[in-house]
Amino acid sequence: MNSAAPPSKDLAAVKGTKDILPGEVEVWQRVEAEAKRLFELYGFRELRAPVIEPTELYLKGTGETTDIVTKEMYTFTDKSGRSITLRPEYTPSVARAIVEHRLDLLGTPMRYYYIGPMFRYDKPQKGRYRQFHQIDIEVFGEKDPAVDAEIVEMADSLLRRLGVRGTETLVNSVGCRACRPAYGRDLKARAEAVRDRLCEDCRRKVEANPLRIFDCKVEGCRAEARNFPKITDYLCEECRDHFARFRGCLDLLGVAHRPEPNLVRGLDYYTKTIFEIVAGEGGQQNAVLGGGRYDDMMKDLGGPDICGTGFAMGLERLIALLDVKPEPRKFVYLIHVGEEAKTRAAVAARDLRAAGMEALLEFGVRNFKSQFARANKLGAGWALIIGEDEIRGGLYKVKDMATGDQKDVRPEGVVEFLRPRLEG
Ligand code: ATP
Ligand code: MG
């Protein structure tokens, strides 16, 4: 577009979404590549599920009293009258895919990862968007707390590989169906007693699901919640033992962590282990990742009784912590003058690319001087010059843009000449 006028408001990006442009996208690519490489070392494989899912999946999976389901979902009715939701989180999709394809019967480890966009009608602010991106990992079919520790260590390892420092790992246990009801009763009684001091939203939660009060971002509610009973004082023997062994494994793997009894996480399906990794700054948006165990989720969705554990990392929040500059690229800029040179340059560019080198060829009508200026401005490592003289003489010119050194090279020799120089 050549028009200088800004797009009308209707044509601007939807509030809470943003474009990730070249210059920034290289950082995303690096993080994604690093994550994939690392997860595969732990036996994880990619599982790509659709962006849209039936709304019931989240009502049953995520939980009807969660903030996600009550306030944040992008839900619409499609032309067939079916209620569809843009996924707000990934775990229910994986559980659905396992049931649908009976992945549990394959005998392969049920360790999956995925990187992609999630959608929540959140209040847009720094670290909080309506389309955001998660790196999500899930392990199904492993009860042992050692697996919980393994995935926390994996998350920690990814952060360290990316050079993130100064994070803190918080852990807790939210118990199971055996021990949570007694806790729920006491919690409700305490929440009822301070009901008047809670926000409107939390007053509703007192009845529906008082555990959700811990998710509230209102400072007054957070202060009240700090005095609520602690779930850790109610854990049954099995949950207590699971939590102790989880922490023991973390110690063994050398992962520093701190128990945080007020940590509950915003999803209904968690059982036993939960954890978050937080970064010092970012206020209420300081959680880089959160996760935990969900032993009943699959069963609740009507599937087989298979336990699960996993985490989701927010890519925007992770990338905000990184201090990386994309490496300058080494590429060849092809300068061509005249019709014959243009076709020759196209062939030379194809050959360079086929040999794994980046080659840029532009076709706007420009003389030699302005093409050379372009090569300079764009930061080309080398220029390949094809003009009338070069065609006549049967030798192209190859110029090192950093030193200004220039050499005559036969057309068939260009790839061979440039390959070691571009790699080095
Ligand atoms: P928060 O308490 O900040 O709302 P959450 O508990 O809703 O987080 P999870 O559902 O656990 O978040 O998602 C895992 C991670 O995804 C979070 O730790 C965060 O890094 C990221 N995340 C969640 N919601 C958003 C959002 N609206 N924008 C950007 N990142 C998000
Ligand atoms: Mg949230």
Side-chain angles (χ1 to χ4, degrees):
M1 276 220 321
N2 288 323
S3 157
S8 83
K9 220 167 157 224
D10 298 345
L11 288 181
V14 171
K15 190 174 174 195
T17 71
K18 55 179 192 160
D19 301 309
I20 305 165
L21 302 175
E24 189 189 354
V25 85
E26 291 79 3
V27 181
W28 287 71
Q29 289 170 337
R30 158 139 193 259
V31 171
E32 289 165 9
E34 196 73 62
K36 287 181 185 182
R37 199 162 38 236
L38 182 73
F39 298 166
E40 304 248 344
L41 296 179
Y42 286 72
F44 285 74
R45 297 292 178 260
E46 189 170 6
L47 187 159
R48 297 189 189 187
V51 169
I52 51 174
E53 293 279 5
T55 302
E56 308 87 86
L57 184 65
Y58 304 107
L59 303 184
K60 283 196 199 156
T62 310
E64 302 211 39
T65 59
T66 58
D67 281 356
I68 290 182
V69 170
T70 55
K71 298 191 285 201
E72 298 172 0
M73 291 208 300
Y74 276 94
T75 297
F76 63 96
T77 308
D78 74 6
K79 291 195 196 311
S80 74
R82 178 149 207 210
S83 182
I84 300 288
T85 292
L86 298 182
R87 58 179 182 215
E89 58 143 342
Y90 204 62
T91 308
S93 294
V94 178
R96 180 197 49 67
I98 290 174
V99 176
E100 202 163 325
H101 306 287
R102 289 316 304 258
L103 301 178
D104 53 314
L105 302 181
L106 294 181
T108 43
M110 285 186 281
R111 291 175 171 234
Y112 308 108
Y113 71 85
Y114 176 72
I115 304 177
M118 305 292 150
F119 305 85
R120 295 185 194 174
Y121 196 77
D122 242 325
K123 188 167 167 237
Q125 55 198 291
K126 188 166 181 287
R128 198 173 289 287
Y129 308 94
R130 291 185 173 167
Q131 173 173 331
F132 63 101
H133 299 77
Q134 284 186 340
I135 301 184
D136 180 277
I137 72 103
E138 316 277 343
V139 181
F140 280 88
E142 291 270 25
K143 275 198 190 54
D144 203 289
V147 178
D148 299 350
E150 190 184 343
I151 62 174
V152 174
E153 189 272 324
M154 182 167 86
D156 188 62
S157 182
L158 177 61
L159 294 178
R160 274 185 294 111
R161 274 178 188 230
L162 293 170
V164 177
R165 300 276 175 274
T167 55
E168 191 175 22
T169 302
L170 310 176
V171 299
N172 197 17
S173 172
V174 288
C176 66
R177 285 193 176 155
C179 48
R180 216 150 43 186
Y183 173 66
R185 278 192 296 276
D186 283 7
L187 182 62
K188 192 167 187 169
R190 283 288 285 278
E192 264 164 359
V194 297
R195 192 197 181 95
D196 295 347
R197 298 207 280 271
L198 299 174
C199 74
E200 201 182 315
D201 224 23
C202 285
R203 276 183 231 151
R204 265 196 303 275
K205 293 176 181 173
V206 174
E207 305 311 323
N209 188 351
L211 201 62
R212 296 276 69 88
I213 297 171
F214 288 102
D215 305 334
C216 187
K217 311 278 186 225
V218 176
E219 192 39 53
C221 301
R222 289 171 95 88
E224 292 300 335
R226 279 194 278 276
N227 299 319
F228 284 172
K230 311 280 179 251
I231 175 75
T232 20
D233 294 332
Y234 291 75
L235 296 181
C236 62
E237 173 103 38
E238 187 194 309
C239 287
R240 231 184 359 248
D241 174 61
H242 198 276
F243 189 47
R245 287 193 291 140
F246 165 58
R247 295 198 54 203
C249 290
L250 283 179
D251 288 338
L252 205 70
L253 297 174
V255 180
H257 61 281
R258 177 166 70 78
E260 172 50 68
N262 284 325
L263 182 68
V264 297
R265 315 252 328 109
L267 306 166
D268 277 352
Y269 50 64
Y270 285 114
T271 48
K272 296 190 167 75
T273 313
I274 55 167
F275 54 87
E276 264 183 10
I277 298 186
V278 298
E281 287 168 37
Q284 314 255 296
Q285 278 74 248
N286 69 348
V288 185
L289 72 94
R293 175 165 282 281
Y294 26 88
D295 288 347
D296 302 321
M297 179 199 217
M298 191 83 107
K299 202 169 47 196
D300 293 348
L301 283 173
D305 188 2
I306 299 173
C307 61
T309 184
F311 65 74
M313 186 179 282
L315 267 172
E316 283 79 2
R317 292 188 198 176
L318 169 63
I319 284 168
L321 299 176
L322 302 182
D323 182 24
V324 284
K325 294 241 169 355
E327 294 257 308
R329 293 181 182 243
K330 289 187 176 166
F331 69 96
V332 187
Y333 190 93
L334 290 100
I335 296 175
H336 52 95
V337 183
E339 275 309 301
E340 165 79 10
K342 184 165 93 182
T343 50
R344 289 202 180 210
V347 171
R350 179 204 59 192
D351 292 346
L352 287 165
R353 292 161 183 159
M357 284 169 272
E358 182 174 335
L360 181 63
L361 175 62
E362 293 182 306
F363 296 101
V365 190
R366 285 195 199 89
N367 58 25
F368 171 82
K369 212 174 138 202
S370 52
Q371 287 187 58
F372 190 75
R374 282 283 290 169
N376 237 333
K377 185 164 170 235
L378 297 176
W382 293 81
L384 176 64
I385 301 160
I386 312 176
E388 277 166 19
D389 290 351
E390 286 73 24
I391 293 172
R392 215 175 303 115
L395 287 172
Y396 295 169
K397 285 198 175 61
V398 186
K399 191 178 182 81
D400 182 333
M401 297 299 287
T403 62
D405 292 347
Q406 191 167 293
K407 246 190 117 66
D408 291 334
V409 180
R410 283 176 301 110
E412 324 75 78
V414 169
V415 164
E416 205 184 315
F417 178 83
L418 280 175
R419 192 172 8 220
R421 290 171 170 83
L422 272 169
E423 280 166 0

